[in-house]
Amino acid sequence: MRLTGILATVSVLAMVASPAMAEEQTLKIGALVTQSGAGASWGNGMLRAAELAAEDVNKDGGLDVGGTRYHVEVIAYDDAYKANEAVTAANRLVFEDKVKYIIGTVGSAPILAIQPITEENKVITMTLGFTAQALSPEKPYTFRPNPTTAEVAQPQIDWLVENQNIKTVGALFPNDETGEAIAEDIAAAYKKAGAELTAKEFFERDRVDFIPLLTRIVAQGVDAIELDGNSPVTAGQIVQQARDIGFEGVIIRTGGPATQEIVNVAGKAATNGMFVHSAFNPAIETATAYQQRYVDTYGDQMNGFSPFFYDGTKMLFKAMQEAGTVDDTEAVKTALENISDYEGVLGTMNWTGEDRYGIAHQLDSPFYIARVEDGNEEIVASCTTSGCE
């Protein structure tokens, strides 16, 4: 009788004490991004997106998954936009830090280099890498939360060719997987729109003097220069140097949000009249609020890729909650694939890409064409993959 009473007392105490004594666990998220060199603004935008998404759940007591609260910790490594550095960082994240989720990489070559590690170990990655090879049925743990040139180029180029009377285009591309893939996509898109990519040059990513390459391109009398595929700083240098040698034609950037960084490097005068791809519509309240939060938090201008990775990280958290686990990435992957009509800061988002990549791991979202005036984007057309108007 006395024993029963003691047990009952212990049980009651246990029931009362359990919630307070429940230990918060830590969920580690890797950020394998470019934090140094010409692509740093993209990488920092991705890293900060993950940090802000983590901040959202942490301030509410942690991410609630299956009744357990997880404090989200973001572990960041710089790959310097290099495949070998990315492999080293991926090994540390997967085998030493034991992460099961990675935001990154920025570049195409780095994501292709780390996929043997991440896919073999069922680590879910959210990559910015533009190469078509990043997504395939053989790589089921890789997702891409941002549209690429393959998704946005054609409708934008159709609109620009028609409205700016463009017949010939010149372009400079990095001499790597990203540059080669974008050059191929861009050339096909201009040809389909009725124009031609008549002059193209490839260069190593650490190059800063583009005058000889631009001189050859401008000498061919091109109507426009295309910047897609170049990092923000490099694109700014190309714009500045193109204007320095007297190019007065149209300058276009059909992918890779980087307007503020380009303006910072080239100056407002050189960028006036430039047409750029934009995912950001200031008329959307949630997008503007995210931009302001980013600026207030980091004291820096927001890179246009950042909102995609904020939404992508939030979708990843949602998938964990719906799967009821942070450990079983197969279940989380399936839950992530099943998220539809997700209301992100940029608008309604859905997974697509089955026709192009053989797997629907490519996020589809609204996008825009903007004209740069006095350093600011002014939207001139709203687009979907079906067209711009």
Side-chain angles (χ1 to χ4, degrees), residues 284 286 311 342-349 365-366:
I284 298 177
T286 50
D311 284 337
Y342 181 82
E343 292 299 330
V345 295
L346 295 175
T348 304
M349 299 183 173
S365 67

Side-chain angles (χ1 to χ4, degrees), residues 58 106 121 129 142 164 181 204 240 263 308 315 359 369:
N58 289 339
V106 172
N121 291 280
T142 303
Q164 296 298 308
E204 300 306 316
Q240 180 187 36
V263 171
F308 290 110
M315 291 173 73
I359 190 168
I369 298 174

